[in-house]
Amino acid sequence: MPYNLLARACGTLSPRAVEQAVTSGLLHSIQAAPGIRFDGSDVPAPTFHQDAGESANAEDQAAWAHRAGVNCLTVDRFEGRYMLSGGSDSSVALWDLQSVSNNYNQSRFKPAAKANKASSIHKYGITHLSFYPFDSLAFLSSSYDHTLKINATETITPSASFDLGSVVYSHALSPIADHLLVACATQHPAVRLVDLKSGSTAHSLAGHRGAVLSVVWSPKDEYILASGGADGTVRLWDVRRSAGSLGLLDLEDSIGISRVNGRNTRPRYQGKAHVGACNGVVWKDDGRFLVTAGHDERVRVWDVGVGANALSHFGPIIKNTHLSTLLPLLVPSTVGNRTEKVMVYPNEKEILLFDLLDGTLLKRLRVPGAVVAQASGSSGQRNVRNRVTSLAWRAGDVEFYSSHSDGVIRAWRPRGKTEAELDREEAEGVDDSEGNDRKRKRQALDEVFRDLMRQKITFT
């Protein structure tokens, strides 16, 4: 860090290079922040904060954000200030990430607004939440009650509702498009398009042979859409075409479709991206790569320009068994070095950081807490296997948040100076104790040797 500042002062490094070096260091030092808690209970927040020595007990006193479990998270892309969370009990909470500023790593957040189960905007569990891409004062929500709704952020009240007739697993609205088409992944074997301007829900994109589990719009082309389904296929769509589908991605194709004069010479309409259901499709923010996750416990990276499998291998450590949408988190291109592309993967009871292109495991973050936790639902207390259900990156900072089936929202932030000093002191203490142990053992061996040398040995 001092070298970067000196080089910048001398003019040998650009501001962007300094930013890349700093954010890369912060990214690789991310760890759990157990002192940051999100409390969705009706108990008022305390007027004091824990001391640093009490942070180890934070998990014992961990507050739940949603009693029945947290299904999804999203953070607004403008300021990175507001976060929405959706629960398994249909509750929705709005969190102001700047409401607590006394201590960076010891904070207790209370909802700025909340819709409880009784007054919730949905009847059943929330499946997906997303802020309106052009204004964070509105957000979209989908649920197991077959509906997609537009809601006011400040009051968490619905302003429009669309009944799609089947479970809505996820939805997506293009962040760059002039059209207001919301793509919905539902139990119906077609991508449903909801036009927010006209209110029409009649248009659909047929092609999948089972439920559609995940959808995402291209960040560079406003009319291109990708979807993953229970049939293991990942399809690309152009909503302007009558046929709709541009083709499929094939896991056995590492070359891609050749192009002549800017046109594909052989569109592909056969092949699978996964040998199981594909329940996660994410587009890199530069538009070059598409990342998919499937029940074959594989994460695949695709070169979208030619539709080729980039052959990134993340090893046998990947886990993915639930039908609900599971979206890997792709770190924004503005964070880290220019050649660095990092993927954060919610791997059941842990969070893994990978290099996106070569599959190298960069960091393994263990999730605190019990493997099996208790959650409260309509049927009373029940035991649930604690797992990571969703990840959300905070814009304008190097940190992210994770939601869990035990009802807790956890924060992940770079290690600060205080934590580094505590780790260094602990390491020095361990070194001192190990040195003392070695000294005692050496003294004992010396005494044994001297006792042996004092004895007179005779041979007969």
Side-chain angles (χ1 to χ4, degrees), residues 62-288:
W64 48 264
H66 297 268
R67 175 68 79 178
V70 190
N71 283 353
C72 51
L73 286 179
T74 185
V75 178
D76 79 275
R77 60 191 290 260
F78 297 102
E79 301 177 271
R81 176 175 179 176
Y82 295 104
M83 179 174 70
L84 284 166
S85 60
S88 300
D89 57 354
S90 76
S91 61
V92 177
L94 174 69
W95 310 88
D96 185 353
L97 301 179
Q98 296 180 7
S99 62
V100 178
S101 58
N102 292 351
N103 193 325
Y104 187 72
N105 282 324
Q106 298 294 327
S107 304
R108 188 185 189 95
F109 292 93
K110 298 293 289 185
K114 186 176 181 181
N116 294 319
K117 181 181 177 181
S119 60
S120 181
I121 54 180
H122 288 282
K123 295 180 180 179
Y124 305 128
I126 309 298
T127 57
H128 193 197
L129 295 171
S130 65
F131 279 99
Y132 189 67
F134 311 109
D135 188 354
S136 59
L137 292 178
F139 71 94
L140 286 81
S141 61
S142 55
S143 168
Y144 290 106
D145 64 3
H146 303 180
T147 62
L148 170 77
K149 294 188 178 183
I150 306 174
N151 311 278
T153 303
E154 293 181 342
T155 57
I156 312 187
T157 53
S159 56
S161 179
F162 305 91
D163 189 351
L164 300 182
S166 56
V167 172
V168 185
Y169 293 109
S170 68
H171 62 266
L173 183 61
S174 175
I176 61 171
D178 292 332
H179 64 73
L180 293 179
L181 294 176
V182 182
C184 298
T186 70
Q187 278 185 324
H188 191 274
V191 179
R192 301 291 299 276
L193 296 178
V194 177
D195 190 343
L196 298 183
K197 290 182 178 179
S198 65
S200 172
T201 62
H203 192 33
S204 61
L205 303 172
H208 287 283
R209 297 183 178 179
V212 184
L213 303 178
S214 182
V215 289
V216 63
W217 289 92
S218 167
K220 296 298 181 181
D221 193 321
E222 59 180 329
Y223 298 106
I224 302 301
L225 174 74
S227 63
D231 56 359
T233 62
V234 173
R235 292 179 176 268
L236 297 176
W237 311 86
D238 187 339
V239 296
R240 297 168 299 182
R241 294 170 44 132
S242 58
S245 179
L246 297 174
L248 296 89
L249 299 178
D250 186 1
L251 64 89
E252 297 181 355
D253 185 1
S254 60
I255 299 176
I257 299 174
S258 59
R259 299 174 69 89
V260 177
N261 296 328
R263 295 185 178 181
N264 296 337
T265 58
R266 52 177 186 88
R268 186 193 301 116
Y269 294 105
Q270 292 184 349
K272 288 189 175 184
H274 292 272
V275 188
C278 175
N279 61 340
V281 182
V282 184
W283 221 303
K284 190 77 173 74
D285 56 3
D286 58 8
R288 291 183 55 197

Side-chain angles (χ1 to χ4, degrees), residues 307-329:
N309 185 353
L311 299 180
S312 299
H313 183 59
F314 301 96
I317 195 174
I318 298 295
K319 296 178 182 178
N320 184 358
T321 57
H322 294 268
L323 189 63
S324 57
T325 303
L326 186 71
L327 300 178
L329 175 63

